[in-house]
Amino acid sequence: MEDGSKQAEVRSWLAAAVRQRAGLCVLTGAGMSAESGIPTFRDALTGYWAQFDPMALASEPGFRTHPQRVWDWYAERRAGVRAAEPHAGHRALADFARRHPGVLTLVTQNVDDLHQRAGNVDTLRLHGDILDDLWLDPCARQVRGGKVCDPAWAEAGCPPACRECGNLVRPGVVWFGEHLPLRALDAAQRAAGQCALMLVVGTSGAVWPAAGLAGQARAAGAKVVVLNPAPSELDGTAHLVLRGTAACTLPALLA
Ligand code: APR
């Protein structure tokens, strides 16, 4: 079945999900942001950063060992996110949510804010928010029963640190070895278990539990479609695989 008829098949599943007001669950990964100029996670380590292991940079032990190096890496990625713009695929998802309120649950592994800036403000973030600042350790003032200090007041630096106790500021992303935000994960798993159609866009399917959502949807009876220009670990879970990109194929599917 060539891609034209595959797309027609997916559009018919989508139309049925909308008619029956059954859910559409979309899971996105770094490939969703690639055409906005944000390198995918596994491509992000280029140039100076190519010498480092991403698992070390994106981890608490890595940050505690080399706080300035890790902070600089995130500062560079933050600048890339702020300079990026949502593309036609992001806008197609936001338009779909506006036209069909309550049908779409959008779940992302991405830490950028492109879905939110396109209009999907209720996107479930499984891996956090790169633009958010958190304290590395419990706030000493809060531990004493006081009001937690605001990381925004921290002393400027790489990384910024609390003026009072030296607590370091860290990016609000889920690092390797850390738990995913339970509320977002529960909501994502509920959507995967109840949807009529799951569309997996731009993820290698290499990282769990996010990657498990496609299998959960299939086991619950949903049609599963993978959209990816290259083979992924979720191709075998899909009823249909579309070889295409997020910015080009999503608008055609969701129009
Ligand atoms: N459109 C759609 N998919 C694309 C595009 C595109 N234009 N360009 C690349 N891709 C696909 C690649 O083929 C690959 O399968 O996007 C996928 C990106 O895979 P990864 O870099 O592994 O990113 P992701 O799957 O999101 O990683 C999951 O792992 O590294 C951690 O926390 C990090 O959220 C990330 C998670």
Side-chain angles (χ1 to χ4, degrees):
M1 192 192 287
E2 90 321 320
D3 261 2
S5 48
K6 281 184 182 179
Q7 281 196 26
E9 180 87 46
V10 174
R11 284 171 59 83
S12 71
W13 292 343
L14 190 54
V18 169
R19 254 195 326 276
Q20 296 150 15
R21 293 206 53 72
L24 165 65
C25 184
V26 176
L27 169 67
T28 63
M32 182 76 214
S33 303
E35 287 153 291
S36 290
I38 298 178
T40 62
F41 191 83
R42 275 127 190 102
D43 299 341
L45 292 165
T46 53
Y48 171 73
W49 301 108
Q51 63 189 297
F52 301 113
D53 168 12
M55 308 282 267
L57 286 177
S59 73
E60 185 180 323
F63 182 66
R64 287 186 185 278
T65 311
H66 301 287
Q68 173 158 359
R69 177 189 297 164
V70 175
W71 181 263
D72 289 348
W73 183 52
Y74 278 95
E76 198 171 296
R77 291 176 62 198
R78 283 177 166 182
V81 167
R82 291 191 176 101
E85 290 298 330
H87 55 56
H90 294 103
R91 292 194 295 274
L93 283 165
D95 292 344
F96 180 91
R98 264 193 295 278
R99 290 198 316 274
H100 306 293
V103 174
L104 170 65
T105 301
L106 182 51
V107 184
T108 192
Q109 300 171 86
N110 299 336
V111 293
D112 61 55
D113 61 346
L114 295 178
H115 283 307
Q116 292 81 355
R117 278 159 57 193
N120 289 107
V121 294
D122 53 355
T123 300
L124 297 174
R125 290 177 175 275
L126 296 184
H127 294 166
D129 175 358
I130 197 170
L131 301 180
D132 191 19
D133 282 340
L134 301 176
W135 290 118
L136 177 62
D137 291 307
C139 170
R141 193 182 284 186
Q142 190 177 34
V143 168
R144 292 195 306 269
K147 190 172 176 311
V148 65
C149 301
D150 182 337
W153 304 332
E155 184 88 40
C158 297
C162 175
R163 302 164 192 271
E164 198 171 292
C165 68
N167 199 355
L168 296 181
V169 174
R170 56 160 288 180
V173 298
V174 177
W175 274 332
F176 286 105
E178 293 186 324
H179 293 296
L180 274 63
L182 273 184
R183 204 174 48 79
L185 182 58
D186 284 348
Q189 288 174 330
R190 252 194 326 276
Q194 294 166 355
C195 68
L197 175 60
M198 171 170 272
L199 183 53
V200 179
V201 183
T203 181
S204 58
V207 172
W208 290 67
L213 293 171
Q216 275 179 266
R218 177 146 190 167
K223 291 289 188 193
V224 176
V225 176
V226 161
L227 170 56
N228 196 320
S232 82
E233 295 184 33
L234 296 178
D235 288 8
T237 307
H239 293 91
L240 268 184
V241 175
L242 295 175
R243 286 286 171 250
T245 72
C248 297
T249 305
L250 272 180
L253 284 184
L254 298 170

